[in-house]
Every structure is written in structure tokens, then in C-alpha cells.
Amino acid sequence: MVGAVVMATDAAGPRIVGEGWHERFGGPHAEVRALVEAGNAARGATLYVTLEPCCHSGKTPPCTEAILAAGIARVVVAAGDPFPAVAGRGIAQLRAAGVVVEEGLLTEEAVRLTAPFRKLVQTGRPWVIAKWAMSLDGRLATQPGDDRWISSPESRELVHDLRRRVDAILVGIGTVLADDPSLTARPAGARRGPRIVCDGLARTPPDGRLVRSAREWPVLIAVGPRADRDRVSALAAAGCEIWDGPDDPQERFAALLDELGRRRVTNLLVEGGPTLLERLFAHDLVDEVWAFVAPKIIGGATAPFAVAPRLDAEEVSLSGGDILVRGLVRPTSDRG
């Protein structure tokens, strides 16, 4: 999410001499990549960066040291870093060393871009993305005997791309029992985040796709105190991780979010059915929505309805024959 650009000015005018971005966790930060590409041209140049440069040693050395060593004269920071070890100290260090630091350029865009990271740092919980496909009459599932897919192949391709980019995927036990999903990205990406099932009574089928593939792609089953211990043992023996939470489903999910935050899960994709989604929206636990609206009318009394939160839409586009609505969820207090 973080990028950096080095711009130098000579007789021909300003020109970009280095670019970089943070490609992976633990890898070189954006500033370092841009400075390496710029080389000697970085001396006296301006560095533009999405996030305040770090000033502490973590997975990588401090970026402030690299900036000073390169001879950068001016740094333009879009947004401050909320991480406690940085939080203004990076900017202060650069200024103390004589570097001109300016703040405020494209701040709103940078804060939105880094929103999942900021939420994890500030609340200890992941950014929750709720995704579903629905018909024009608001149904989340087809009638028995109908084609199981509501959305188009193009929409399903987008979902697989989203799965490749998140840190974990979560569903409720109702979805597991109804659809026997695999919840993998096809083709698989570099990330293999856990597939998580909210399953208070440990009803996840041992012969289902999730459990059968648990040794290849992690599965975490979030159970409650009333879960049958024999079933829990069978799931654990098949390679699933068992996480014990409170009995109340709402409390269990809140505690699970805290646990995922401790594990540094930044983006959590929820592909649940109407029961799980309704609980999450009712308690303001969803941050972002990806809703695919298909040009179909399903009707009938048995197909489940979708919930309808109030969104600040960021994207409305065509996906195959579907309409993709992507946006941020307004808190309950802000909904009119």
C-alpha cells in the first residue's frame, strides 16, 4: 500500500529518478527501493511517500537512516504513521537532521489507502470486508435445483483475486453445511491465509472440502463451550486448528476479531450467509462491502434475503452481467 517517488531537478527541469513500493511484509520499504533506484541522483532531491518514514528497527532497518544517508533534501509525506514506534518520530528525526518535511499532500487518499493497517494498529482488529452476491430481489441463494451460482464468471474471478489479497477468509457454519465451499483462491496466490469457520457446536463435516484440505491450506474452527468434544477432536486430528471462544455467537465473533488482530491479520474477508452478515452489520463490525448484484429474480419463500447496510459507495461498475457495488459501511449512528 505504501509507495515512494524520488524527484530530482536539474537544468532540464524536474524528473523522476527513483520509484519503489513495499512489495511484501518483511521486505524493503518503499523509500529504500526508490532510493536504491535513484542512486547518486537522490542527493539534494525530493522524496514523496505515502506514509511517514519509519524510524525504528523492525523487520527492516529505519527508513529515516536510509533517507539521510542518501542526501535527500526534502520529504513530502501524505499521511502520518499511527504505529506507536513511529507516530511522528520519523518526521521529527528528519527535521532535526535538517531535512525539509512537508505534510498534507493527498492525505485523505493516503489514509483511505492505508485504512486496514491503521485500524489494526489503532483497534487491534482486522479490517473486515463483507462480500456477497445477490439477485435483483435481494436473494443470497438460489432455489433448490437451480444453478448454484448467482454471480457471473467474471465476478467470481474478481472474488478469487480478492481472496489472494486478504489475510484470512471467514464463513459461518450455515454456509459450510449448505455449500461445502473450499474458500481457496484459484489460481492460488502467494498468500495462504487461514480459512475460518464460526462453528459454535463443531458441526463442520470431517469429509467436507475444508477439512480434507486442512493440511495443505490452514483451517481454523471457532467453537464454543457446548461443542461436542469428540467432533472437536476429530477436526483437530484432521489438521484443523481449534479456537475456543465464548458461547454467545456475537461475543465469540468479537473475541475472534481480537484474536485475529493479535495474529496480525490485517484484512479479513467474510463470505458468510445472511445470519452471519446480519449479526456483523447490527454491531458495526464490517468496514467495507463488495456486493455483486446479478440481473436475476429468484423469488420464492425459501431463498434467504440479503441485509442492506448504508454504504458510502467508492465504486459502481459492471462485472460481466453483474453490477459491483463496493463501498465503506456507515456506522449505525450515521445512518439516516
Side-chain angles (χ1 to χ4, degrees):
M1 297 178 290
V2 177
V5 173
V6 180
M7 181 170 284
T9 302
D10 53 25
R15 59 191 177 91
I16 292 173
V17 294
E19 296 178 320
W21 56 285
H22 189 197
E23 296 184 12
R24 62 179 180 85
F25 180 66
H29 286 188
E31 300 96 314
V32 172
R33 287 188 172 278
L35 292 170
V36 167
E37 184 175 298
N40 292 333
R43 190 156 300 278
T46 295
L47 172 71
Y48 295 86
V49 64
T50 310
L51 198 65
E52 174 184 4
C54 67
C55 55
H56 68 293
S57 294
K59 295 285 184 181
T60 62
C63 287
T64 49
E65 291 183 3
I67 291 169
L68 295 175
I72 288 287
R74 174 172 167 257
V75 175
V76 179
V77 176
D81 189 336
F83 190 67
V86 185
R89 293 182 180 88
I91 290 173
Q93 248 184 45
L94 293 174
R95 283 177 173 158
V99 177
V100 175
V101 181
E102 298 177 17
E103 303 174 69
L105 177 66
L106 300 175
T107 297
E108 186 177 336
E109 291 87 344
V111 167
R112 171 62 188 97
L113 182 67
T114 57
F117 162 72
R118 307 179 88 83
K119 183 186 177 186
L120 181 63
V121 169
Q122 293 166 343
T123 72
R125 288 182 172 180
W127 182 264
V128 178
I129 304 168
K131 164 264 160 187
W132 69 85
M134 60 188 281
S135 62
L136 286 175
D137 54 343
R139 305 289 183 162
L140 287 178
T142 57
Q143 296 290 343
D146 292 345
D147 182 353
R148 65 175 294 197
W149 300 112
I150 291 178
S151 59
S152 67
E154 292 85 352
S155 295
R156 297 199 293 276
E157 229 175 89
L158 279 178
V159 171
H160 283 287
D161 183 59
L162 181 58
R163 287 178 179 177
R164 281 188 286 271
R165 294 191 284 117
V166 298
D167 303 297
I169 302 169
L170 181 141
V171 294
I173 183 58
T175 296
V176 172
L177 295 176
D179 299 339
D180 187 23
S182 62
L183 301 179
T184 55
R186 297 184 292 277
R191 295 187 181 188
R192 285 183 177 258
R195 299 164 294 167
I196 306 169
V197 184
C198 282
D199 182 10
L201 300 178
R203 294 185 293 154
T204 300
D207 59 349
R209 294 181 183 176
L210 284 171
V211 179
R212 293 202 314 268
S213 60
R215 298 192 188 281
E216 304 162 19
W217 195 305
V219 173
L220 185 149
I221 312 290
V223 303
R226 293 185 294 126
D228 182 280
R229 290 296 120 179
D230 289 338
R231 289 202 294 265
V232 168
S233 296
L235 291 170
C240 299
E241 179 184 356
I242 306 298
W243 180 83
D244 287 282
D247 191 33
D248 179 77
Q250 190 61 44
E251 292 179 7
R252 188 185 314 124
F253 190 80
L256 179 59
L257 286 180
D258 292 333
E259 173 63 22
L260 294 177
R262 284 189 287 273
R263 299 183 185 204
R264 312 309 291 169
V265 169
T266 305
N267 289 277
L268 174 66
L269 176 61
V270 177
E271 296 196 33
T275 301
L276 178 58
L277 290 173
E278 186 175 7
R279 284 178 182 152
L280 302 187
F281 285 120
H283 292 82
D284 288 334
L285 295 176
V286 176
D287 300 292
E288 183 177 345
V289 159
W290 288 51
F292 295 89
V293 184
K296 300 177 181 178
I297 295 177
I298 293 174
T302 58
F305 280 98
V307 293
R310 184 69 179 271
L311 298 181
D312 290 322
E314 294 187 315
E315 176 187 358
V316 179
S317 59
L318 290 177
S319 173
D322 306 331
I323 298 172
L324 167 62
V325 180
R326 184 181 59 78
L328 304 183
V329 180
R330 287 190 189 180
T332 304
S333 58
D334 293 345
R335 296 176 200 166

